[in-house]
Short mmCIF file of all heavy atoms in Angstrom, two decimals:
data_model
loop_
_atom_site.label_atom_id
_atom_site.label_comp_id
_atom_site.label_asym_id
_atom_site.label_seq_id
_atom_site.Cartn_x
_atom_site.Cartn_y
_atom_site.Cartn_z
N LEU I 34 13.57 38.65 -43.83
CA LEU I 34 14.18 39.89 -43.36
C LEU I 34 13.87 40.12 -41.88
O LEU I 34 14.76 40.47 -41.09
CB LEU I 34 13.70 41.08 -44.19
CG LEU I 34 14.21 42.46 -43.78
CD1 LEU I 34 15.73 42.53 -43.92
CD2 LEU I 34 13.54 43.53 -44.62
N ALA I 35 12.62 39.91 -41.49
CA ALA I 35 12.22 40.10 -40.09
C ALA I 35 12.95 39.11 -39.17
O ALA I 35 13.42 39.49 -38.10
CB ALA I 35 10.71 39.94 -39.94
N PHE I 37 15.86 37.64 -39.80
CA PHE I 37 17.27 38.05 -39.78
C PHE I 37 17.47 39.24 -38.84
O PHE I 37 18.40 39.25 -38.03
CB PHE I 37 17.75 38.40 -41.19
CG PHE I 37 19.13 38.99 -41.23
CD1 PHE I 37 20.25 38.18 -41.07
CD2 PHE I 37 19.30 40.35 -41.40
CE1 PHE I 37 21.53 38.73 -41.09
CE2 PHE I 37 20.57 40.91 -41.42
CZ PHE I 37 21.69 40.09 -41.26
N MET I 38 16.60 40.24 -38.95
CA MET I 38 16.72 41.41 -38.08
C MET I 38 16.49 41.05 -36.62
O MET I 38 17.20 41.53 -35.74
CB MET I 38 15.74 42.51 -38.52
CG MET I 38 16.15 43.19 -39.80
SD MET I 38 15.00 44.48 -40.31
CE MET I 38 15.04 45.57 -38.92
N GLY I 39 15.52 40.19 -36.36
CA GLY I 39 15.26 39.76 -34.99
C GLY I 39 16.46 39.05 -34.39
O GLY I 39 16.84 39.31 -33.24
N TYR I 40 17.07 38.19 -35.18
CA TYR I 40 18.26 37.48 -34.71
C TYR I 40 19.42 38.46 -34.51
O TYR I 40 20.10 38.42 -33.49
CB TYR I 40 18.63 36.39 -35.72
CG TYR I 40 19.88 35.63 -35.35
CD1 TYR I 40 19.86 34.65 -34.36
CD2 TYR I 40 21.08 35.89 -35.99
CE1 TYR I 40 21.00 33.96 -34.00
CE2 TYR I 40 22.24 35.20 -35.65
CZ TYR I 40 22.19 34.24 -34.66
OH TYR I 40 23.33 33.56 -34.31
N SER I 41 19.64 39.33 -35.47
CA SER I 41 20.76 40.27 -35.42
C SER I 41 20.62 41.29 -34.29
O SER I 41 21.62 41.69 -33.69
CB SER I 41 20.88 41.03 -36.74
OG SER I 41 21.15 40.14 -37.79
N LEU I 42 19.39 41.71 -34.02
CA LEU I 42 19.16 42.73 -33.00
C LEU I 42 18.82 42.14 -31.63
O LEU I 42 18.51 42.88 -30.70
CB LEU I 42 18.05 43.69 -33.46
CG LEU I 42 18.38 44.49 -34.73
CD1 LEU I 42 17.15 45.25 -35.22
CD2 LEU I 42 19.54 45.44 -34.48
N HIS I 43 18.87 40.83 -31.51
CA HIS I 43 18.66 40.14 -30.23
C HIS I 43 17.34 40.56 -29.56
O HIS I 43 17.33 40.99 -28.41
CB HIS I 43 19.83 40.38 -29.28
CG HIS I 43 21.16 40.06 -29.89
ND1 HIS I 43 21.59 38.77 -30.10
CD2 HIS I 43 22.14 40.87 -30.36
CE1 HIS I 43 22.78 38.79 -30.67
NE2 HIS I 43 23.14 40.05 -30.84
N ILE I 44 16.25 40.43 -30.31
CA ILE I 44 14.97 40.82 -29.73
C ILE I 44 14.57 39.83 -28.64
O ILE I 44 15.03 38.68 -28.61
CB ILE I 44 13.87 40.95 -30.81
CG1 ILE I 44 13.58 39.64 -31.51
CG2 ILE I 44 14.24 42.04 -31.81
CD1 ILE I 44 12.43 39.71 -32.52
N GLU I 48 9.04 39.90 -27.96
CA GLU I 48 9.10 40.51 -29.30
C GLU I 48 9.07 39.43 -30.39
O GLU I 48 8.42 39.61 -31.43
CB GLU I 48 10.35 41.37 -29.41
CG GLU I 48 10.27 42.62 -28.54
CD GLU I 48 11.60 43.35 -28.39
OE1 GLU I 48 12.68 42.71 -28.45
OE2 GLU I 48 11.56 44.58 -28.20
N LEU I 103 3.67 45.70 -40.33
CA LEU I 103 4.64 46.78 -40.51
C LEU I 103 4.72 47.64 -39.26
O LEU I 103 5.82 47.95 -38.78
CB LEU I 103 4.27 47.64 -41.72
CG LEU I 103 5.14 48.86 -41.98
CD1 LEU I 103 6.57 48.45 -42.29
CD2 LEU I 103 4.55 49.69 -43.10
N THR I 105 3.93 46.83 -36.21
CA THR I 105 4.54 46.03 -35.15
C THR I 105 6.06 45.96 -35.34
O THR I 105 6.82 46.13 -34.38
CB THR I 105 3.94 44.61 -35.13
OG1 THR I 105 2.53 44.71 -34.95
CG2 THR I 105 4.54 43.76 -34.02
N GLY I 106 6.48 45.74 -36.57
CA GLY I 106 7.91 45.70 -36.87
C GLY I 106 8.60 47.01 -36.56
O GLY I 106 9.71 47.03 -36.02
N LEU I 107 7.94 48.12 -36.88
CA LEU I 107 8.53 49.43 -36.58
C LEU I 107 8.66 49.64 -35.08
O LEU I 107 9.69 50.15 -34.61
CB LEU I 107 7.69 50.55 -37.21
CG LEU I 107 7.78 50.66 -38.73
CD1 LEU I 107 6.78 51.70 -39.24
CD2 LEU I 107 9.19 50.99 -39.19
N VAL I 108 7.64 49.26 -34.33
CA VAL I 108 7.69 49.42 -32.87
C VAL I 108 8.83 48.60 -32.28
O VAL I 108 9.52 49.04 -31.35
CB VAL I 108 6.33 49.03 -32.23
CG1 VAL I 108 6.44 48.87 -30.73
CG2 VAL I 108 5.26 50.05 -32.59
N ILE I 109 9.04 47.41 -32.81
CA ILE I 109 10.08 46.53 -32.26
C ILE I 109 11.47 46.90 -32.77
O ILE I 109 12.42 47.00 -31.99
CB ILE I 109 9.75 45.06 -32.58
CG1 ILE I 109 8.51 44.62 -31.78
CG2 ILE I 109 10.95 44.14 -32.28
CD1 ILE I 109 7.97 43.26 -32.17
N PHE I 110 11.60 47.11 -34.08
CA PHE I 110 12.93 47.25 -34.67
C PHE I 110 13.46 48.68 -34.71
O PHE I 110 14.67 48.88 -34.59
CB PHE I 110 12.95 46.68 -36.09
CG PHE I 110 12.75 45.19 -36.14
CD1 PHE I 110 11.76 44.63 -36.95
CD2 PHE I 110 13.54 44.34 -35.39
CE1 PHE I 110 11.58 43.27 -37.00
CE2 PHE I 110 13.37 42.96 -35.44
CZ PHE I 110 12.38 42.43 -36.25
N LEU I 111 12.60 49.66 -34.89
CA LEU I 111 13.08 51.04 -35.06
C LEU I 111 13.89 51.54 -33.88
O LEU I 111 14.99 52.07 -34.08
CB LEU I 111 11.91 51.97 -35.39
CG LEU I 111 12.27 53.30 -36.01
CD1 LEU I 111 13.10 53.12 -37.28
CD2 LEU I 111 11.02 54.09 -36.32
N PRO I 112 13.43 51.38 -32.63
CA PRO I 112 14.27 51.86 -31.52
C PRO I 112 15.63 51.16 -31.46
O PRO I 112 16.65 51.79 -31.16
CB PRO I 112 13.44 51.52 -30.28
CG PRO I 112 12.05 51.38 -30.76
CD PRO I 112 12.14 50.88 -32.16
N LYS I 113 15.65 49.89 -31.78
CA LYS I 113 16.91 49.16 -31.76
C LYS I 113 17.84 49.64 -32.88
O LYS I 113 19.05 49.78 -32.68
CB LYS I 113 16.65 47.66 -31.88
CG LYS I 113 15.97 47.07 -30.66
CD LYS I 113 15.62 45.63 -30.86
CE LYS I 113 14.94 44.95 -29.72
NZ LYS I 113 14.53 45.66 -28.57
N LEU I 114 17.29 49.91 -34.04
CA LEU I 114 18.09 50.42 -35.16
C LEU I 114 18.61 51.82 -34.87
O LEU I 114 19.77 52.13 -35.17
CB LEU I 114 17.28 50.39 -36.46
CG LEU I 114 17.01 49.01 -37.04
CD1 LEU I 114 16.02 49.11 -38.20
CD2 LEU I 114 18.30 48.34 -37.47
N ILE I 115 17.78 52.66 -34.29
CA ILE I 115 18.20 54.03 -33.94
C ILE I 115 19.33 53.97 -32.91
O ILE I 115 20.33 54.67 -33.04
CB ILE I 115 17.01 54.86 -33.44
CG1 ILE I 115 16.05 55.15 -34.59
CG2 ILE I 115 17.48 56.15 -32.78
CD1 ILE I 115 14.73 55.76 -34.19
N SER I 116 19.19 53.12 -31.92
CA SER I 116 20.23 52.96 -30.90
C SER I 116 21.52 52.46 -31.53
O SER I 116 22.61 52.93 -31.20
CB SER I 116 19.75 51.99 -29.84
OG SER I 116 20.75 51.75 -28.90
N LEU I 117 21.41 51.53 -32.44
CA LEU I 117 22.59 51.00 -33.12
C LEU I 117 23.29 52.07 -33.94
O LEU I 117 24.51 52.18 -33.92
CB LEU I 117 22.16 49.83 -34.03
CG LEU I 117 23.23 48.95 -34.61
CD1 LEU I 117 23.95 48.20 -33.50
CD2 LEU I 117 22.62 47.96 -35.60
N ILE I 118 22.52 52.92 -34.61
CA ILE I 118 23.09 54.00 -35.43
C ILE I 118 23.76 55.04 -34.53
O ILE I 118 24.86 55.51 -34.84
CB ILE I 118 22.00 54.64 -36.31
CG1 ILE I 118 21.57 53.65 -37.40
CG2 ILE I 118 22.48 55.94 -36.93
CD1 ILE I 118 20.32 54.05 -38.14
N LYS I 119 23.12 55.35 -33.40
CA LYS I 119 23.71 56.33 -32.47
C LYS I 119 25.04 55.83 -31.91
O LYS I 119 25.98 56.60 -31.75
CB LYS I 119 22.75 56.64 -31.32
CG LYS I 119 21.63 57.55 -31.71
CD LYS I 119 20.74 57.85 -30.51
CE LYS I 119 19.61 58.78 -30.90
NZ LYS I 119 18.72 59.05 -29.76
N HIS I 120 25.11 54.52 -31.59
CA HIS I 120 26.35 53.98 -31.05
C HIS I 120 27.44 53.89 -32.11
O HIS I 120 28.62 53.93 -31.78
CB HIS I 120 26.09 52.59 -30.45
CG HIS I 120 25.48 52.66 -29.10
ND1 HIS I 120 24.14 52.99 -28.90
CD2 HIS I 120 25.99 52.47 -27.86
CE1 HIS I 120 23.87 52.97 -27.61
NE2 HIS I 120 24.97 52.66 -26.96
N ALA I 121 27.04 53.76 -33.36
CA ALA I 121 28.03 53.67 -34.45
C ALA I 121 28.60 55.05 -34.79
O ALA I 121 29.70 55.15 -35.30
CB ALA I 121 27.39 53.05 -35.68
N ALA I 122 27.83 56.08 -34.52
CA ALA I 122 28.26 57.44 -34.88
C ALA I 122 29.22 58.04 -33.91
O ALA I 122 29.62 57.66 -32.92
CB ALA I 122 27.05 58.35 -34.99
#
Side-chain angles (χ1 to χ4, degrees):
L34 178 62
F37 173 76
M38 287 180 59
Y40 178 77
S41 298
L42 297 172
H43 307 287
I44 63 176
E48 291 168 331
L103 176 63
T105 303
L107 288 173
V108 167
I109 291 171
F110 293 127
L111 199 56
K113 292 175 180 6
L114 289 171
I115 290 170
S116 176
L117 192 65
I118 291 168
K119 284 182 180 178
H120 280 75

